[in-house]
């Protein structure tokens, strides 16, 4: 079983829509959960970071982790064309090696 | 703003040749990583490096791969005898002591012919 699974999409939404991106994971030892954003031909850039279960909000972005169901979510409110990118979920047992999901390609059209 | 840099941006090589990919991590960072992303696939962990030694490596990181911090600023990944399946985007990342965020470089696209 793959450690982190993510629907690759692609996902296309109109500007202003609420976007929901999701991942599941299988390794119970994962404690740290991140969302990275990757633009074409660029390196991943950290968007959100969560330790253990719970919610974290940063502007239009909300990250949720439910360890009981091993489910990771990212919500984007009032989506903008500049949010168009690939979104990668990642998990880690410590502050070291990151295990990434497949990435979801998001397009927000005006 | 400090950033991780990588050179070259694109490297083309013949199968069986040695390649060295170079990275300059953020200056006060102490933890260094290499990841790779084959086209259309996940970003995969290769190796982590701390205190001048490998702290963790993946199954991908076999005897053909090595890492080195030859001076106080560079961090290199060497592939001794490249294979077609080594064609990928290679990302370097670094992290400061006590931090959680790994900062990624823009990547080196390696094409093995």
């Amino acid at each position: 079983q793959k450690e982190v699974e993510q629907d690759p999409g692609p996902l296309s939404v109109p500007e202003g829509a609420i976007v929901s991106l999701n991942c599941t994971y299988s390794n119970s030892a994962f404690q740290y959960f991140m969302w990275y954003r990757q633009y074409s031909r660029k390196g991943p850039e950290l968007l959100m970071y969560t330790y253990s279960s719970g919610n974290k909000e940063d502007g239009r972005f909300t990250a949720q982790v439910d360890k009981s169901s091993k489910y990771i979510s990212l919500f984007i409110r009032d989506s903008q064309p500049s949010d168009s990118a690939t979104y990668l979920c990642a998990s880690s047992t410590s502050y070291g090696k990151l295990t990434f999901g497949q990435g979801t390609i998001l397009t927000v059209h005006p | 703003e400090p950033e991780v840099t990588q050179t070259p941006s694109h490297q083309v090589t013949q199968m069986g040749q040695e390649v060295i990919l170079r990275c300059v991590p953020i200056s006060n960072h102490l933890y260094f990583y290499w990841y790779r992303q084959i086209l259309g696939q996940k970003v995969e962990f290769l190796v982590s490096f701390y205190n001048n030694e490998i702290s963790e490596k993946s199954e991908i990181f076999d005897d053909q791969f090595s890492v080195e911090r030859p001076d106080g600023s560079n961090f290199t990944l060497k592939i001794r005898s490249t294979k077609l399946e080594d064609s990928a985007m290679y990302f370097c990342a670094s992290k400061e002591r006590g931090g959680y965020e790994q900062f990624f470089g823009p990547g080196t696209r390696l094409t093995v012919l």
Side-chain angles (χ1 to χ4, degrees), chain B residues 58-87:
Chain B
S58 72
E59 292 176 353
I60 303 167
F61 195 89
D62 61 21
D63 292 345
Q64 292 301 310
F65 291 86
S66 62
V67 289
E68 192 177 31
R69 189 152 161 84
D71 53 42
S73 59
N74 289 282
F75 180 51
T76 62
L77 174 69
K78 181 193 289 187
I79 309 174
R80 289 189 183 81
S81 178
T82 50
K83 307 182 185 74
L84 295 176
E85 55 265 36
D86 293 328
S87 295

Side-chain angles (χ1 to χ4, degrees), chain A residues 21-93:
Chain A
L21 304 170
N22 306 292
C23 291
T24 58
Y25 65 93
S26 59
N27 188 344
S28 299
F30 284 150
Q31 294 286 337
Y32 304 91
F33 304 93
M34 292 93 167
W35 284 93
Y36 280 81
R37 180 171 58 193
Q38 185 178 23
Y39 293 110
S40 182
R41 298 185 181 274
K42 301 286 187 184
E45 174 187 30
L46 185 67
L47 194 59
M48 297 286 285
Y49 162 82
T50 312
Y51 171 70
S52 195
S53 278
N55 291 4
K56 188 170 185 178
E57 189 172 320
D58 184 2
R60 296 184 295 111
F61 298 88
T62 301
Q64 285 185 353
V65 176
D66 182 346
K67 293 193 75 180
S68 62
S69 59
K70 297 188 175 67
Y71 205 76
I72 312 164
S73 300
L74 177 71
F75 299 96
I76 307 173
R77 291 184 299 280
D78 187 25
S79 55
Q80 302 294 310
S82 57
D83 294 329
S84 298
T86 298
Y87 289 80
L88 308 167
C89 61
S91 302
S92 176
T93 58

Side-chain angles (χ1 to χ4, degrees), chain A residues 2 4 34 36 38 41-44 46 49 56 88 95-98 100-102, chain B residues 33 35 37 40-43 45 56 91 95 98-102 104-106 109:
Chain A
K2 296 176 184 176
V4 179
M34 292 93 167
Y36 280 81
Q38 185 178 23
R41 298 185 181 274
K42 301 286 187 184
L46 185 67
Y49 162 82
K56 188 170 185 178
L88 308 167
Y95 282 155
K97 160 191 170 184
L98 294 175
F100 284 89
Q102 178 81 3
Chain B
Y33 309 85
Y35 293 83
Q37 186 175 31
Q41 297 187 25
K42 293 183 177 186
V43 175
F45 169 79
E56 189 174 2
F91 294 106
K95 186 174 71 71
Y100 58 82
E101 181 175 356
Q102 294 183 25
F104 284 76
R109 180 174 301 279

